[in-house]
């Protein structure tokens, strides 16, 4: 099949559906050692510094990781929206003798596409950051983030995070809340520190796995291995990169719903996270932390577009098959060498529809052979 790319922008429509595209491959382990400290800084949502020196504030420990709250728990579990079944999940299976699908849709030599580059970037820039709603499945220890559908209801799941809610005796309260204060580092009631903390219910927050000190290389690594299980004193713990995503993308006032559903973790499923071994010299760093100082970067892979025409846009035809998608996004190891098809895993998260022409922002997560992940926002142009 041949695809000719021709843009008629006035007729290009963007609908809001969701696709989570998962390609499952293999994983492993390795080690390097580095350590570094970072200054404590408290910031608000807009990234403005509240105090240059918050050392005086830190001893006033909030009851972040504690269930000693006067908040009432909901009498019954909060139900997910009924329209959640509109979510499309495409599983890309490993296949033998994959055809060279990229030949069916090769944009490298298409001058028409190249000429539209600036227009695509302008469209993306004009797109406002969407509003989100965060659903925390307490019993499943899974967080799902939703965007609005065409009717303005939060029914479109766009992100999923594995988490650790409150353990027995310190259960995270059920109910509906809103995010308020945002902290780059926050002192916890037990003397540890949370990175990228976002308050949503008095002393209850989203935050990273605890650190012994406000230092990226001083992680309570054994607690990282408990992600997916109840482990906190009431807060919702996340991998560092996931806590940062909420910190960066969910504005103050974002609705948070904590509910229980043992049957279904969420429409995008419950992600898994790498386990850190005690003998690994990097074990005091969160593997997902994107800090330039993180020694895990020595193993972190990178994503690339196999048919990149120089604009960084991922072009796909309407109705793109799994084979076309697989050949459109590749992965390289930390040395820049391409991975084989059996050596990595790729997941696409976002609010997009491969069956409808349009321009979409998609988050692409790749996991290499060492289990270390990389995440990249990509502009996807679906054309017919």
């Amino acid at each position: 099949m041949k695809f000719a790319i021709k843009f008629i922008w006035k007729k290009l429509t963007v609908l809001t559906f969701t696709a989570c595209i998962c390609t499952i491959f293999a994983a492993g382990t390795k080690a390097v050692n580095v350590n570094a400290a970072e200054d404590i800084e408290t910031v608000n949502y807009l990234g403005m510094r509240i105090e240059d020196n918050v050392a005086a504030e830190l001893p006033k420990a909030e009851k972040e990781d504690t269930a000693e709250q006067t908040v009432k728990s909901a009498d019954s579990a909060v139900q997910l929206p009924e329209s959640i079944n509109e979510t499309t999940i495409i599983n890309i299976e490993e296949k033998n003798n994959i055809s060279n699908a990229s030949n069916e849709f090769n944009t490298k030599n298409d001058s028409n596409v190249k000429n539209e580059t600036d227009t695509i970037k302008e469209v993306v820039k004009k797109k406002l950051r969407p509003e989100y709603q965060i659903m925390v499945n307490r019993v499943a220890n899974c967080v799902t983030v939703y965007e609005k559908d065409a009717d303005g209801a939060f029914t479109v799941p766009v992100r999923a995070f594995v988490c650790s809610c409150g353990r027995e005796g310190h259960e995270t309260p059920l109910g509906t809340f809103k995010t308020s204060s945002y902290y780059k580092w926050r002192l916890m009631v037990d003397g540890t520190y949370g990175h990228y903390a976002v308050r949503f219910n008095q002393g209850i927050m989203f935050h990273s796995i605890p650190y012994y000190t406000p230092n990226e290389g001083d992680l309570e690594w054994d607690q990282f291995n408990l992600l997916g299980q109840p482990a906190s004193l009431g807060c919702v713990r996340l991998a560092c990169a996931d806590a940062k995503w909420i910190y960066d993308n969910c504005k103050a006032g974002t609705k948070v719903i904590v509910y229980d559903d043992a049957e279904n973790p969420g429409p995008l499923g419950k992600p898994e996270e790498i386990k850190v071994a005690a003998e690994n010299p990097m074990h005091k760093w969160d593997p997902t932390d994107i800090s330039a100082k993180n020694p895990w970067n020595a193993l972190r892979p990178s994503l690339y577009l196999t048919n990149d025409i120089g604009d960084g846009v991922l072009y796909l035809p309407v109705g793109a098959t799994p084979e076309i998608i697989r050949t459109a996004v590749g992965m390289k190891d930390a040395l820049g060498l391409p991975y084989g098809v059996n050596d990595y895993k790729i997941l696409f998260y976002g609010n997009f529809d491969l069956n409808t022409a349009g321009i979409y922002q998609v988050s692409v997560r790749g996991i290499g052979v060492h289990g270390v992940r990389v995440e990249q926002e990509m502009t996807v142009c679906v054309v017919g």
Side-chain angles (χ1 to χ4, degrees):
M1 177 183 289
K2 297 182 179 179
F3 294 89
I5 304 174
K6 185 174 181 181
F7 295 91
I8 307 177
W9 295 102
K10 291 184 180 180
K11 294 185 179 180
L12 189 63
T13 58
V14 181
L15 301 180
T16 54
F17 292 90
T18 299
C20 175
I21 305 174
C22 309
T23 307
I24 302 178
F25 302 97
T29 299
K30 197 177 174 180
V32 180
N33 188 27
V34 172
N35 195 3
E38 178 165 340
D39 293 337
I40 304 169
E41 184 179 11
T42 303
V43 297
N44 66 9
Y45 175 69
L46 296 176
M48 299 173 62
R49 182 174 298 179
I50 295 175
E51 299 180 38
D52 289 330
N53 183 355
V54 296
E57 179 191 339
L58 291 176
K60 299 177 182 177
E62 297 288 340
K63 292 183 178 179
E64 278 93 9
D65 261 350
T66 180
E68 295 176 12
Q69 307 293 327
T70 57
V71 180
K72 244 187 201 178
S73 295
D75 293 330
S76 59
V78 178
Q79 299 299 316
L80 289 169
E82 292 182 1
S83 58
I84 219 64
N85 54 16
E86 294 176 3
T87 301
T88 301
I89 300 179
I90 303 176
N91 292 315
I92 303 176
E93 301 286 337
E94 175 65 25
K95 296 183 179 181
N96 294 324
N97 303 318
I98 296 176
S99 63
N100 187 9
S102 61
N103 290 334
E104 297 180 9
F105 190 72
N106 191 333
T107 63
K108 279 188 176 180
N109 300 316
D110 195 317
S111 59
N112 291 330
V113 172
K114 185 68 175 178
N115 292 337
E116 297 295 344
T117 298
D118 292 338
T119 306
I120 292 175
K121 289 185 177 179
E122 287 172 7
V123 170
V124 173
K125 283 181 181 178
K126 289 177 181 178
K127 184 178 179 182
L128 297 176
R129 177 166 50 191
E131 291 184 58
Y132 296 106
Q133 179 173 289
I134 306 172
M135 304 285 286
V136 180
N137 188 339
R138 183 179 69 170
V139 69
N141 290 285
C142 183
V143 174
T144 304
V145 181
Y146 293 81
E147 280 187 27
K148 289 181 177 179
D149 59 22
D151 297 322
F154 288 101
T155 62
V156 183
V158 294
R159 305 283 298 199
F161 307 131
V162 63
C163 71
S164 285
C165 291
R167 61 180 182 259
E168 186 176 358
H170 301 275
E171 290 82 0
T172 305
L174 298 171
T176 301
F177 315 96
K178 288 186 178 180
T179 60
S180 55
S181 303
Y182 292 66
Y183 310 93
K184 189 171 183 183
W185 287 101
R186 190 65 180 173
L187 180 65
M188 301 295 158
V189 70
D190 61 357
T192 61
Y193 293 81
H195 205 5
Y196 300 114
V198 175
R199 186 188 308 279
F200 67 87
N201 174 17
Q202 297 189 37
I204 306 298
M205 297 187 173
F206 294 108
H207 61 73
S208 70
I209 299 303
Y211 292 77
Y212 293 109
T213 61
N215 174 348
E216 295 166 330
D218 202 12
L219 181 74
E220 281 196 69
W221 65 271
D222 55 330
Q223 296 299 301
F224 183 89
N225 289 341
L226 296 179
L227 279 170
Q229 307 172 44
S232 79
L233 295 175
C235 283
V236 180
R237 296 176 178 176
L238 299 159
C240 183
D242 298 337
K244 188 177 188 301
W245 190 93
I246 291 178
Y247 176 91
D248 287 340
N249 293 280
C250 297
K251 63 184 181 182
T254 296
K255 183 182 286 188
V256 178
I257 299 176
V258 183
Y259 70 102
D260 282 335
D261 185 348
E263 302 279 326
N264 179 15
L268 302 182
K270 179 178 177 179
E272 296 181 356
E273 198 51 77
I274 185 176
K275 300 298 182 185
V276 180
E279 59 272 18
N280 188 328
M282 300 182 291
H283 70 278
K284 298 201 77 176
W285 282 79
D286 184 314
T288 73
D289 190 344
I290 62 172
S291 168
K293 305 169 187 175
N294 193 343
W296 288 96
N297 292 338
L299 302 178
R300 199 173 310 284
S302 61
L303 300 170
Y304 69 99
L305 302 179
T306 59
N307 285 333
D308 190 1
I309 63 174
D311 60 359
V313 176
L314 170 58
Y315 295 95
L316 293 173
V318 169
T321 64
E323 288 82 4
I324 291 177
I325 296 166
R326 286 192 56 173
T327 57
V329 181
M331 181 181 288
K332 296 179 181 179
D333 64 20
L335 298 177
L337 301 175
Y339 276 115
V341 294
N342 298 317
D343 298 334
Y344 65 96
K345 177 181 186 179
I346 289 182
L347 300 94
F348 282 22
Y349 290 117
N351 189 350
F352 64 98
D353 179 10
L354 294 178
N355 294 312
T356 302
I359 301 171
Y360 308 95
Q361 279 299 108
V362 177
S363 179
V364 182
R365 178 182 299 179
I367 303 174
V369 293
H370 302 294
V372 181
R373 82 191 202 195
V374 62
E375 196 140 350
Q376 184 176 332
E377 295 294 319
M378 291 188 181
T379 299
V380 176
C381 184
V382 179
V383 296

